[in-house]
Structures are given as C-alpha cells and as structure tokens.
Amino acid sequence: MTIRTILTVAGVGNERGDLELAARLCQQTGAHLSVLVVGMAAPPPIGEYAAVVSDAWLQERQAEMHRVSDRVSEVTSFIAASAVSGDVADEYVELAWADESVGRRARYADLTLAGPNTLLSGTLKDKVIEGALFGSGKPLLLIPAGIEPTLSPKRVLIGWDGRIEASRAVREALDMLRGAQEVRVALVDPGQGEDTHGEEPGADLAAYLARHGVKVTVDRLPREGNSVADVLRRHATDTAAEMIVMGAYGHSRLRERIFGGVTRSMIENPTLPIFMAR
C-alpha cells in the first residue's frame, strides 16, 4: 500500500510531540498530514442532583469547546509553518462515541499514527486505537517514546498466526516489506495441518512474500512458558527489528480486556513501532 495520507489525532492538551512526529514522517514519505482534534464530553448529569450540577456541567462543556477551538488554531498554525501539506478537522463528541469519530476520519487516510503522547493519554489512547482498528478498515502504527519512526524499516518482524487479521496486516505492509533488507516471519508454537499452518508452518506465507520480492526468513519459536507477546518482543530485540507487523484483535475487544491477549499486551507495552491491521 502506498501511503499518501497519514492521520494523527490530537486532544485538547498542548503537547506537540505527536504532531511534530507525524509531520516528520509525512515529510519523509511525501504524504499529506491529516489531523483530527477531538474533545470528549462528559455525559450529562442524571438523577436527583442533575438540576443542581447542570449549570456547572454546561459551563464546563462550553469551556471544553473553546479549548477544542484553540487547539484547532494551534494545529492550523503548525501546519502552515511546516513543510508538509495538511488539513485539520475537529469534533466535540460524547465520550462513548469518540472512537466512532476517529474511525470515520481514519477512513480517509492510509495510516493512523498513535505516537508517544497518545499512548500515554489513557482514554484518548483507547479511542484512537479502537476507532482506527474497528472503524476504518485501515492500518494503525504505534510509536513508543524514544523512537524516530520510519516507513522504510530495514529489518521487520512479522508476528504470524495465520488469522485473517495477520493476513491483512501483511498485505497493507507489502510496500514496506519489499523495501526491507530483512523480513522475518515469527510463528510461536505453530501447529501443523490444513486447519492451522500447513505441513510446514510459515512456508506458505514465505512463498507468498517471496513472489512479491520480499527477502524473507521463517522463525518457529517455542513459548517455553512465556506469553506470545513476550516471545515476539524478545525475538524482535534479538533480531534487531525496527518494526513489528501483526494482526490486531483476533478475539473480541471484551474478551481481550477480560482475559488478556497478544494485541492488548503489545499495545500496553510497545518496545518498538508496531504496524497493526484488522
């Protein structure tokens, strides 16, 4: 996939780190920068105290809308002074629907970026990740703190489990994979047989990638009592990978939250850029 538009989501805070990071990535790739400024409204008061607190709630709502407007002005000025083309949209929405707003906007971008500030932002982080993955049909790139991102990584690790989500992530990342010097396909305790990974786990994906000109190696990794996420992170470090490509949420969001899952673990503790799709 050729990336021509990158979306980043900004809250009403004054942090510019993610915005600057996204602009640098757009400058590297010649992409257009799309920014969505999101303000999230608290639900209106209900019950016997609603009449007492409604004035305070309305005042806070109006103040928050002013903060969104101020943030839009800041982002507009930043883009005007930068070396990239860009556009700014804003939405002030009820907290419960913020992920839908992100998802709608992300449909008009090739990639949504969640940088270090977003990953530390609690509620905004959840809304950006869920909106991009569940509401857009487009990939998401997580960038942890201390890392300068690139869409031309030299070494890439693919976390492969044979699911549709992983297949979509690989397809969306094909341009990057073709340009990499080394791509390693990591399978953790892979099964054999037609209903899992075939008689030679990883061989089918390796053949598919090779036909696209990707330099690929297959690594079958034992769990040895560790979580799949920990095995992938450790192998990424051991192979000096600059990015992990993986599918997201093979199970429902609710199940991942209650029981844990590879996606949730990787999101909570990313050690290098993670390119996800669903």
Side-chain angles (χ1 to χ4, degrees):
M1 177 187 66
T2 301
I3 294 175
R4 290 290 177 261
T5 303
I6 296 175
L7 171 69
T8 189
V9 181
V12 295
N14 294 322
E15 301 88 352
R16 285 178 48 167
D18 286 8
L19 191 60
E20 293 169 347
L21 184 151
R24 291 196 299 273
L25 201 56
C26 287
Q27 194 167 5
Q28 291 172 21
T29 59
H32 178 87
L33 175 60
S34 182
V35 183
L36 175 63
V37 177
V38 174
M40 292 180 283
I46 58 175
E48 59 182 307
Y49 297 106
V52 177
V53 300
S54 59
D55 285 344
W57 176 77
L58 285 172
Q59 290 174 9
E60 175 57 30
R61 189 179 182 94
Q62 291 170 350
E64 190 75 4
M65 293 173 69
H66 284 304
R67 285 192 284 270
V68 169
S69 178
D70 290 343
R71 184 65 164 150
V72 169
S73 297
E74 293 170 4
V75 173
T76 301
S77 297
F78 171 85
I79 291 176
S82 72
V84 301
S85 66
D87 66 81
V88 186
D90 65 280
E91 289 209 36
Y92 184 64
V93 296
E94 301 297 333
L95 178 63
W97 312 119
D99 56 325
E100 295 188 6
S101 295
V102 172
R104 281 194 301 269
R105 193 64 185 168
R107 294 169 200 165
Y108 303 102
D110 298 304
L111 178 69
T112 297
L113 178 70
N117 291 335
T118 300
L119 295 179
L120 292 174
S121 63
T123 301
L124 180 62
K125 166 191 170 182
D126 291 339
K127 297 300 182 181
V128 170
I129 290 174
E130 295 188 6
L133 291 176
F134 287 87
S136 75
K138 302 293 183 65
L140 169 73
L141 181 62
L142 308 180
I143 305 292
I147 293 178
E148 185 64 24
T150 177
L151 293 178
S152 301
K154 295 179 180 179
R155 291 173 297 279
V156 180
L157 179 69
I158 298 174
W160 182 252
D161 60 5
R163 294 177 182 269
I164 293 173
E165 296 81 9
S167 177
R168 173 169 286 181
V170 168
R171 185 192 65 191
E172 297 284 2
L174 269 177
D175 280 356
M176 288 191 298
L177 299 177
R178 274 192 292 261
Q181 295 176 3
E182 179 183 59
V183 174
R184 307 186 78 95
V185 175
L187 300 91
V188 181
D189 279 350
Q192 291 180 306
E194 293 182 0
D195 58 343
T196 53
H197 294 278
E199 294 305 315
E200 188 179 349
D204 289 338
L205 179 61
Y208 166 77
L209 290 172
R211 288 192 289 269
H212 280 279
V214 178
K215 307 173 187 69
V216 60
T217 302
V218 176
D219 298 322
R220 304 179 186 102
L221 309 172
R223 286 186 61 170
E224 297 179 335
N226 298 301
S227 71
V228 173
D230 283 342
V231 173
L232 291 176
R233 278 191 286 259
R234 184 177 63 212
H235 196 60
T237 299
D238 292 344
T239 59
E242 297 172 342
M243 181 181 292
I244 294 176
V245 172
M246 60 179 288
Y249 289 109
H251 301 293
S252 71
R253 283 173 284 183
L254 179 61
R255 180 173 174 178
E256 290 255 353
R257 284 173 175 165
I258 295 174
F259 299 107
V262 178
T263 304
R264 176 56 55 184
S265 180
M266 298 298 280
I267 288 173
E268 293 300 330
N269 184 27
T271 55
L272 71 164
I274 303 175
F275 184 97
M276 289 182 162
R278 185 179 187 277

